[in-house]
Amino acid sequence: MAFILSDYLRGIEGIRRAEKQLRKVIRALKTLSECNQVVIRAEEETELLSDVCKIMANVGGYSLVWVGYAQDDKEKSVIPVAQAGFEKETLRTSISCGLAPEMDVAPPKKQ
């Protein structure tokens, strides 16, 4: 009897994990679908970027989403142009993205 109960509980746990993964996939597909609709209907770049950020935060579940343009300067700065989520904190006007000599990519550093 203990073996049957153990197998049953493992089966239920597997189903719960599968359901959780399925919810993630459904959320990702809904996010992608809504972003595609915005891309099709967008008339201005700033509107597009802002709307995609909002979708990523509201539908995708991300707490902070932002888009920035890389600048061609020696500081390798990035200028935020759209954001959504975590409204209490706003992005600074410029973010430095200097690369460490031994690395190809480094996370942005706040100025």
Side-chain angles (χ1 to χ4, degrees):
M1 183 70 167
F3 294 114
I4 295 172
L5 182 59
S6 175
D7 289 344
Y8 177 74
L9 293 175
R10 269 189 264 137
I12 290 174
E13 186 58 36
I15 291 170
R16 287 185 181 145
R17 279 194 306 269
E19 287 174 342
K20 185 177 180 181
Q21 282 298 109
L22 183 58
R23 283 191 296 274
K24 286 181 180 181
V25 169
I26 290 169
R27 184 176 66 219
L29 289 174
K30 186 173 182 182
T31 302
L32 178 61
S33 176
E34 290 195 27
C35 286
N36 285 339
Q37 292 298 314
V38 167
V39 168
I40 291 168
R41 291 179 173 82
E43 294 183 13
E44 294 181 16
E45 184 177 5
T46 55
E47 174 189 6
L48 168 67
L49 297 175
S50 178
D51 288 348
V52 167
C53 285
K54 288 176 189 170
I55 292 168
M56 295 297 293
N58 298 333
V59 179
Y62 292 93
S63 57
L64 176 63
V65 181
W66 67 280
V67 175
Y69 289 144
Q71 302 299 299
D72 190 19
D73 56 12
K74 74 176 192 176
E75 292 84 21
K76 299 184 188 291
S77 57
V78 178
I79 305 297
V81 293
Q83 76 176 66
F86 204 63
E87 298 301 328
K88 293 179 184 174
E89 244 348 91
T90 55
L91 297 173
R92 296 177 188 239
T93 32
S94 171
I95 298 170
S96 175
C97 190
L99 299 177
E102 68 277 0
M103 298 175 68
D104 290 336
V105 177
K109 295 184 288 183
K110 293 182 181 177
Q111 282 186 336

